[in-house]
């Protein structure tokens, strides 16, 4: 790791001067930021497309270059899958170390709605269009520019970067990479920048994510489909039997899960948490419009947020088997398959919940086979405490407003892995807006969020350093 000369404490500039210097730094670096983001967006680093293996390597090489050009010691770390890039500055062994996590792989971009080549970066006067601009290459660069400033200012902190290339495929080799302790040292805390605010002008930072179990319930009652006129009445109907089990698992009207013991380990959100959710700028109307819902199970904002962020679910994704062409065909299906998943919240344990499901189904219908598809534990970081205070001050400095602390309904595997391997606080400092279009056509990032992000990160690093001194 590169040693940066330590400055004596009295050489540290006052906060006022830092503010002005940061403002100037951000302005001076705009062109460079845009140029680098363009180079990164132009590489189609689609991790789920096997045909892009060469581009994935190119992406890793460019990322290492970008980080080392910024003055950090950077290396490509092999994981067994696509590598990740680990980089950083070591300014003093006794200073706190923070690792900034981002990912630089992207979603595919084959949607017909794209107005131009998704991998030909467009700068439309501060609107940065292209796949990966907001998820998550733009935020990665903002954090890097903020870090470079903090290092130049002599902030007594070690800053490291972890740029993953398999996030969009569920981080299958991330844990293996983290085990390489020499190349990926354990930090004192992690900050993740890969999340979306609820509304523009209202910073919102998650502190919790739901977990996930996916499963397939299959039932075979015959070797083939049969004629209902000839066999119906005597023949068992696997689809009807699967529907009966589905009904015994979830109340379709309320969403209440009926598997015995399912809610036992659920920790309900506190009043403070719900109060914080309400500060995020969440609107039921906008939520309905964004997803095209005609109606919801509830229209109460606090209740909607509780349900999508802090409560577990049982969802039916599909029921296959029998006939699904036009009109009807009078078959008795020989087999059926029910595709389900459950979102989990703290402190539910995926293995335990899967066991509950299996036992419940076995009791209802011992012929049904239950097979697990995917499994991800829920994640809960800190809702209060000194690190959260640092995030609050940083967001305020970058965007003029204290953030609301919210949860997210989805799952990010890498967070859970870092928490398990490192056991250090993990904070979020996300920079994306809903209108930026995560995973959507015409994805973009913008200079307002990019420059605010640089400032927020620069402040976050200096807040962490101050905290360590207290
Ligand atoms: Zn992302």
């Amino acid at each position: 790791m590169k040693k940066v000369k330590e400055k004596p404490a009295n050489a540290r500039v006052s906060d006022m001067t830092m503010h002005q210097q940061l403002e100037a730094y951000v302005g001076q670096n705009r062109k460079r930021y845009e140029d680098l983001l363009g180079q990164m967006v132009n590489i189609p680093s689609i991790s789920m497309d096997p045909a892009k293996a060469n581009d994935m390597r190119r992406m890793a090489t460019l990322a290492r270059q970008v980080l080392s050009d910024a003055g950090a010691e950077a290396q490509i770390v092999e994981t067994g899958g696509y590598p990740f890039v680990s980089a950083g500055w070591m300014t003093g062994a006794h200073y706190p170390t923070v690792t900034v996590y981002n990912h630089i792989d992207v979603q595919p971009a084959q949607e017909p709605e794209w107005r131009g080549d998704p991998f030909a970066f467009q700068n439309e006067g501060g609107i940065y269009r292209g796949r990966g601009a907001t998820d998550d290459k733009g935020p990665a660069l903002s954090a890097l520019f903020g870090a470079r400033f903090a290092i130049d200012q002599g902030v007594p902190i070690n800053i490291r970067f972890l740029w993953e290339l398999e996030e969009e495929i569920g981080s299958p080799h991330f844990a293996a990479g983290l085990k390489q302790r020499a190349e990926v040292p354990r930090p004192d805390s992690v900050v993740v920048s890969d999340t979306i605010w609820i509304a523009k002008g209202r910073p919102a930072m998650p502190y919790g994510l739901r977990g996930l179990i996916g499963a397939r319930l299959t039932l075979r009652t015959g070797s083939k489909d049969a004629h209902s006129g000839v066999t119906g009445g005597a023949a068992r109907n696997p689809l009807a039997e699967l529907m009966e089990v589905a009904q015994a698992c979830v109340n379709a009207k309320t969403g209440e899960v009926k598997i015995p013991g399912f809610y036992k380990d659920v920790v309900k959100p506190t009043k403070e948490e719900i109060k914080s959710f309400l500060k995020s700028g969440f609107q039921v109307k906008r939520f309905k419009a964004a997803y095209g819902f005609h109606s919801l199970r509830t229209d109460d904002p606090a209740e909607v947020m509780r349900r999508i962020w802090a409560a577990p679910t049982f969802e039916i994704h599909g029921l296959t088997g029998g006939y699904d062409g036009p009109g009807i065909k009078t078959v008795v299906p020989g087999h059926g398959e029910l595709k389900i998943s459950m979102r989990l919240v703290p402190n539910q344990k995926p293995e335990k919940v899967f066991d509950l499901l299996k036992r419940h189904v076995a009791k209802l219908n011992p012929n049904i086979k239950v097979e697990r598809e995917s499994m991800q534990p829920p994640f809960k970081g800190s809702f209060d405490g000194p690190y959260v205070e640092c995030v609050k001050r940083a967001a305020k400095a970058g965007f003029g407003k204290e953030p609301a602390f919210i949860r997210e309904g989805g799952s990010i595997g890498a967070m859970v892995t870092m928490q398990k391997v490192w056991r250090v606080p993990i904070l979020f400092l996300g920079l994306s807006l809903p209108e930026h279009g995560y995973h959507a056509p015409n994805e973009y990032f913008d200079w307002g969020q990019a420059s605010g992000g640089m400032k927020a990160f620069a402040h976050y690093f200096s807040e962490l350093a101050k905290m360590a001194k207290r």
Side-chain angles (χ1 to χ4, degrees):
M1 255 188 264
K2 205 170 278 182
K3 270 265 175 197
V4 176
K5 245 211 217 121
E6 286 174 34
K7 290 186 186 173
N10 61 7
R12 273 196 66 206
V13 286
S14 78
D15 275 358
M16 189 56 211
T17 333
M18 172 180 162
H19 226 87
Q20 290 162 338
Q21 288 184 332
L22 182 52
E23 208 56 64
Y25 167 88
V26 167
Q28 285 154 12
N29 279 285
R30 178 167 176 169
K31 278 232 84 57
R32 174 146 184 78
Y33 176 88
E34 291 172 344
D35 174 56
L36 291 177
L37 182 57
Q39 290 182 40
M40 286 171 70
V41 166
N42 286 347
I43 299 181
S45 49
I46 308 169
S47 47
M48 67 179 76
D49 182 353
K52 294 290 188 285
N54 273 336
D55 293 309
M56 297 303 292
R57 286 282 152 185
R58 277 174 60 216
M59 190 69 238
T61 306
L62 173 64
R64 181 183 53 192
Q65 194 62 47
V66 167
L67 286 156
S68 62
D69 286 351
E73 174 99 359
Q75 54 197 320
I76 293 173
V77 178
E78 295 303 332
T79 65
Y82 290 129
F84 58 63
V85 183
S86 174
W89 285 278
M90 189 69 180
T91 59
H94 51 297
Y95 294 157
T97 301
V98 57
T99 292
V100 186
Y101 169 93
N102 289 91
H103 68 89
I104 50 173
D105 62 325
V106 301
Q107 285 278 315
Q110 74 288 71
E111 301 94 341
E113 293 93 336
W114 279 94
R115 286 195 293 274
D117 179 351
F119 297 104
F121 179 74
Q122 296 284 339
N123 180 354
E124 302 156 9
I127 298 283
Y128 309 130
R129 206 172 296 278
R131 173 58 87 224
T134 197
D135 180 19
D136 179 34
K137 292 171 177 178
L141 279 176
S142 282
L144 174 61
F145 276 72
R148 177 71 246 188
F149 178 83
I151 294 295
D152 286 346
Q153 292 284 315
V155 173
I157 189 165
N158 305 310
I159 305 174
R160 299 204 53 88
F161 299 91
L162 203 53
W163 286 5
E164 201 196 349
L165 282 113
E166 289 190 333
E167 195 275 339
E168 300 290 4
I169 51 171
S171 306
H173 302 92
F174 189 66
L178 281 200
K179 288 203 184 102
Q180 307 184 40
R181 292 283 164 113
E183 291 149 300
V184 198
R186 176 176 177 268
D188 300 297
S189 69
V190 173
V191 60
V192 176
S193 190
D194 183 27
T195 51
I196 314 170
W197 301 4
I198 303 298
K200 191 177 175 163
R202 313 275 291 260
M205 307 305 165
Y207 63 91
L209 308 162
R210 288 197 292 193
L212 177 73
I213 299 176
R216 291 182 304 114
L217 276 56
T218 54
L219 177 58
R220 178 167 285 286
T221 52
S223 59
K224 56 188 177 199
D225 292 358
H227 190 294
S228 73
V230 180
T231 67
R236 289 173 65 186
N237 188 310
L239 295 186
E241 291 185 30
L242 285 167
M243 282 156 76
E244 183 189 42
V245 166
Q247 275 216 0
C249 285
V250 64
N251 180 322
K253 288 222 172 62
T254 62
E256 185 209 342
V257 182
K258 302 205 268 189
I259 301 168
F262 181 80
Y263 289 102
K264 195 171 166 253
D265 298 327
V266 169
V267 179
K268 286 196 185 126
T270 62
K271 275 201 190 102
E272 278 66 43
E273 289 182 85
I274 296 285
K275 227 163 72 192
S276 178
F277 292 176
L278 286 164
K279 278 192 244 163
S280 67
F282 180 90
Q283 284 179 358
V284 175
K285 211 173 85 190
R286 210 183 303 150
F287 175 73
K288 277 161 98 169
Y291 298 101
F293 291 131
H294 303 310
S295 59
L296 297 173
R297 282 174 176 153
T298 170
D299 280 319
D300 175 57
E303 181 57 12
V304 172
M305 285 184 275
R306 187 192 70 80
R307 280 167 171 263
I308 61 175
W309 297 338
T313 64
F314 183 103
E315 217 69 70
I316 294 165
H317 306 300
L319 177 63
T320 65
Y323 176 72
D324 64 0
I328 67 160
K329 185 179 171 208
T330 53
V331 294
V332 178
H335 81 104
E337 178 174 298
L338 185 70
K339 298 168 188 294
I340 64 114
S341 81
M342 292 173 275
R343 294 280 169 187
L344 308 180
V345 299
N347 291 330
Q348 287 180 302
K349 286 176 195 61
E351 294 86 354
K352 189 173 163 193
V353 173
F354 183 66
D355 244 37
L356 292 176
L357 169 75
K358 267 203 324 208
R359 249 187 280 160
H360 187 50
V361 173
K363 230 186 218 165
L364 295 162
N365 193 326
N367 297 140
I368 293 177
K369 236 177 34 194
V370 182
E371 280 163 293
R372 206 175 65 201
E373 280 290 301
S374 52
M375 196 159 81
Q376 196 100 246
F379 168 85
K380 189 156 176 264
S382 356
F383 175 68
D384 44 28
Y387 283 96
V388 169
E389 292 305 315
C390 291
V391 171
K392 276 187 192 164
R393 284 196 284 269
K396 176 116 202 251
F399 297 101
K401 214 172 213 161
E402 274 202 1
F405 285 82
I406 60 170
R407 297 208 208 167
E408 287 217 346
S411 317
I412 311 180
M415 304 311 101
V416 179
T417 305
M418 287 190 285
Q419 196 178 43
K420 211 156 136 193
V421 174
W422 286 337
R423 300 188 175 281
V424 298
I426 298 180
L427 284 297
F428 290 80
L429 191 46
L431 304 178
S432 299
L433 299 177
E435 51 268 42
H436 286 162
Y438 257 59
H439 300 193
N442 301 308
E443 174 182 346
Y444 69 95
F445 196 49
D446 67 71
W447 177 243
Q449 293 303 103
S451 57
M454 290 180 197
K455 293 179 208 167
F457 269 99
H459 278 273
Y460 184 64
F461 299 128
S462 87
E463 290 293 341
L464 285 184
K466 275 190 229 163
M467 183 180 84
K469 278 198 185 152
R470 279 197 287 268

